[in-house]
Amino acid sequence: QKEVEQDPGPLSVPEGAIVSLNCTYSNSAFQYFMWYRQYSRKGPELLMYTYSSGNKEDGRFTAQVDKSSKYISLFIRDSQPSDSATYLCAIEGAGSYQLTFGKGTKLSVIP
Amino acid sequence: IAGITQAPTSQILAAGRRMTLRCTQDMRHNAMYWYRQDLGLGLRLIHYSNTAGTTGKGEVPDGYSVSRANTDDFPLTLASAVPSQTSVYFCASSSLLRGGTGELFFGEGSRLTVL
């Protein structure tokens, strides 16, 4: 079993839809949870960073962590065409200093 | 603000040739990383360096070497390129936090094709 599982999609939604992106992980030692966004032919950039269970909100984006289920989610409200990108979850164990990335989910928001 | 600069942006290389991908950062981050990104496989760590003068192996280090002579530069060398090394290579840096990597800042990538 891979340490981090992420459905690669692709996922296509109409503009204005609520998007849910998810990852599962197997190692209960993971303590830091991140979402990166990668536009086509660009490097990834950090979108959300959290280290505890629960929700963290930033504008239209909400990151959710459920450590008991080893499940993390990213919700995008009122999705826009500019949200079209690949979204990668990244998870890290405390003190490991090495991120494990999911394979990424490609999202297209159709105007 | 430049951040991470990678060179070349793309390269076609004959199998068996030696190739060095260059990476420079201007953020004075202590940690630097090299990842490769392949369709269906995601981002995989090749080598990393937590501070100048030290390096470590990631998930897929075979066929690659790195050096970290100073804080800013972290070149990746393919001693004898093979077609399976065709990929997009990303350099990244971070200012290590206590207990964690912190935010990774990525370059724009180097697209390498080995024929």
Side-chain angles (χ1 to χ4, degrees):
Chain A
Q1 181 184 7
K2 296 286 286 183
E3 284 198 300
V4 180
E5 299 278 3
Q6 182 176 10
D7 186 340
L11 182 63
S12 184
V13 301
E15 183 175 353
I18 296 174
V19 176
S20 172
L21 304 167
N22 310 294
C23 286
T24 58
Y25 62 96
S26 58
N27 189 342
S28 59
F30 286 139
Q31 293 198 13
Y32 302 107
F33 308 92
M34 287 143 273
W35 286 95
Y36 281 80
R37 178 175 60 194
Q38 184 177 20
Y39 291 114
S40 181
R41 304 184 75 86
K42 296 289 188 181
E45 56 182 355
L46 182 68
L47 194 58
M48 300 285 280
Y49 185 115
T50 184
Y51 54 87
S52 59
S53 282
N55 294 350
K56 181 177 181 179
E57 196 171 312
D58 184 0
R60 296 184 295 109
F61 298 89
T62 300
Q64 187 176 81
V65 175
D66 182 346
K67 289 187 177 181
S68 62
S69 301
K70 301 188 185 68
Y71 193 88
I72 67 171
S73 301
L74 178 70
F75 298 97
I76 307 174
R77 292 185 300 279
D78 187 24
S79 56
Q80 301 296 308
S82 58
D83 296 327
S84 297
T86 296
Y87 291 81
L88 303 104
C89 62
I91 306 178
E92 182 178 14
S96 76
Y97 297 98
Q98 288 190 24
L99 288 178
T100 299
F101 282 88
K103 294 180 180 180
T105 301
K106 187 173 183 179
L107 171 68
S108 296
V109 181
I110 311 301
Chain B
I1 298 175
I4 297 273
T5 302
Q6 290 186 234
T9 55
S10 67
Q11 182 77 44
I12 298 174
L13 187 66
R17 298 297 296 268
R18 180 184 180 90
M19 177 72 193
T20 295
L21 303 180
R22 301 183 299 280
C23 176
T24 299
Q25 56 119 347
D26 63 2
M27 296 173 284
R28 307 301 293 174
H29 285 164
N30 45 5
M32 297 187 75
Y33 313 84
W34 274 105
Y35 287 89
R36 60 178 290 175
Q37 188 173 39
D38 303 286
L39 194 65
L41 296 176
L43 276 168
R44 293 180 293 168
L45 182 65
I46 304 171
H47 284 288
Y48 66 94
S49 169
N50 285 343
T51 189
T54 69
T55 62
K57 294 181 179 180
E59 180 184 355
V60 288
D62 294 343
Y64 305 95
S65 63
V66 292
S67 62
R68 186 87 184 276
N70 57 60
T71 298
D72 299 340
D73 301 300
F74 192 43
L76 176 73
T77 297
L78 290 67
S80 179
V82 295
S84 62
Q85 293 178 311
T86 294
S87 187
V88 181
Y89 291 86
F90 287 100
C91 180
S93 72
S94 74
S95 181
L96 293 179
L97 305 176
R98 189 177 68 179
T101 298
E103 179 178 359
L104 287 186
F105 293 83
F106 285 86
E108 295 286 84
S110 295
R111 293 178 171 271
L112 183 65
T113 302
V114 182
L115 301 176

